[in-house]
């Protein structure tokens, strides 16, 4: 029987008292056959190489805005919640994991951090910087509720996992990829052109702007994203 791959996922600090990662990420990884391990942010960046070496795959979850100085800008007034300690830790962890060839799944903020880690930039606030954009931040109580359509592009790792064409997703972001990081491709867009998923050239690093971990129980199609990720971490993808 094969060993279940260890999936590291970052855990942010809340109220200076606890480290947390939402249980939806943990459950999704468990159902996909992985062993979730929490990696508390705030450790020394120089230790990130060792942490990356300990895991078989890395999941970067959603969360706060990315501090704009990490992509060379000053903040607009709509950027109000940042954590530089988390940014610094995750940026280095992502780079170290990539150097070791570890598969990654990045979700919402996670996609944005990945893009910045490799030289991309962000729209700081979609409503003010992309006035033609449709809604991207639903306030529905159930986070499994579908909100808008994304188009999954053919020939991508995302299409291999979820199928190409229209896909209804949830949506909880006000930032998005502006300039795509070198070495990455777009694998899904919303109808208004906003980038909704990116991946590196071999599909080992995949980021989505929605929250599949909140949808995979009610909408099993999204479970395939975690299954494919865990399989890559196990060396099967």
């Amino acid at each position: 029987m094969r060993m279940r791959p260890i999936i590291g996922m970052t855990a942010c600090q809340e109220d200076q008292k606890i480290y947390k990662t939402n249980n939806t990420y943990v459950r999704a990884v468990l159902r996909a056959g992985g062993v979730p391990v929490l990696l508390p942010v705030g450790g020394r960046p120089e230790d990130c190489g060792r942490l990356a070496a300990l895991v078989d795959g890395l999941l970067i979850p959603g969360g706060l805005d990315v501090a704009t100085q990490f992509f060379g800008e000053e903040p607009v007034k709509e950027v109000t919640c940042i954590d530089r300690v988390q940014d610094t830790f995750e940026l280095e962890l992502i780079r170290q994991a990539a150097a070791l060839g570890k598969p990654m799944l990045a979700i919402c903020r996670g996609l944005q951090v990945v893009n910045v880690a490799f030289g991309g930039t962000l729209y700081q606030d979609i409503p003010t910087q992309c006035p033609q954009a449709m809604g991207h931040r639903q306030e529905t109580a159930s986070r499994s509720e579908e909100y808008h359509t994304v188009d999954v592009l053919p020939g991508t790792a995302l299409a291999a996992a979820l199928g190409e064409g229209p896909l209804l997703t949830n949506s909880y972001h006000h930032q998005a990829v502006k300039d795509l990081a070198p070495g990455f491709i777009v694998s899904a867009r919303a109808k208004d052109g906003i980038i909704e998923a990116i991946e590196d050239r071999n599909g080992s690093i995949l980021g989505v702007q929605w929250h599949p971990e909140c949808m995979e129980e009610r909408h099993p199609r999204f479970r395939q994203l975690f299954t494919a990720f865990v399989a890559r971490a196990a060396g099967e993808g």
Side-chain angles (χ1 to χ4, degrees):
M1 185 174 69
R2 72 172 176 87
M3 297 287 288
R4 286 154 48 102
I6 295 174
I7 305 299
M9 55 183 73
T10 53
C12 63
Q13 195 167 11
E14 185 176 271
D15 298 328
Q16 305 299 311
K17 294 179 181 179
I18 62 172
Y19 286 95
K20 60 166 283 188
T21 295
N22 289 348
N23 61 0
T24 46
Y25 297 109
V26 173
R27 291 201 303 262
V29 167
L30 285 170
R31 274 194 282 261
V35 178
V37 174
L38 302 191
L39 305 176
V41 305
R44 300 187 308 171
E46 56 265 36
D47 293 332
C48 285
R50 293 185 64 193
L51 291 173
L54 288 173
V55 302
D56 300 304
L58 181 64
L59 189 153
I60 306 296
L64 304 177
D65 294 343
V66 181
T68 61
Q69 287 77 18
F70 286 107
F71 51 96
E73 297 181 9
E74 291 297 320
V76 300
K77 65 180 183 297
E78 288 78 13
V79 174
T80 58
C81 295
I82 61 171
D83 184 337
R84 290 177 183 279
V85 171
Q86 181 176 358
D87 292 340
T88 301
F89 182 84
E90 288 186 335
L91 287 166
E92 183 61 19
L93 184 63
I94 288 165
R95 293 176 184 130
Q96 292 291 338
L100 293 171
K102 299 300 176 81
M104 286 182 247
L105 177 61
I107 294 173
C108 198
R109 165 196 156 87
L111 175 154
Q112 296 160 12
V113 180
V114 163
N115 191 57
V116 171
F118 297 108
T121 66
L122 304 177
Y123 288 114
Q124 296 186 38
D125 183 63
I126 294 171
T128 56
Q129 296 180 314
C130 304
Q132 82 289 353
M134 61 190 192
H136 284 272
R137 196 167 190 172
Q138 69 194 88
E139 296 185 2
T140 317
S142 171
R143 291 178 71 90
S144 66
E145 188 64 41
E146 298 159 320
Y147 185 62
H148 71 66
T149 303
V150 306
D151 289 316
V152 179
L153 302 181
T156 60
L158 183 63
L162 296 180
E164 64 182 72
L167 177 69
L168 266 173
T169 70
N170 57 11
S171 189
Y172 293 94
H173 63 107
H174 81 111
Q175 298 192 319
V177 170
K178 182 168 65 175
D179 299 310
L180 185 64
F184 281 74
I185 62 171
V186 175
S187 45
R189 288 185 185 270
K191 298 294 186 184
D192 56 9
I194 294 292
I195 294 173
E196 289 282 336
I198 65 173
E199 56 191 69
D200 67 351
R201 298 291 181 180
N202 62 16
S204 180
I205 304 174
L206 175 60
V208 297
Q209 193 61 79
W210 63 91
H211 281 271
E213 82 285 356
C214 295
M215 303 188 74
E216 56 93 29
E217 188 169 5
R218 181 177 172 186
H219 307 282
R221 179 180 183 181
F222 290 96
R223 193 169 301 170
Q224 297 165 200
L225 195 57
F226 294 93
T227 302
F229 167 53
V230 170
R232 287 198 305 273
E236 300 171 0

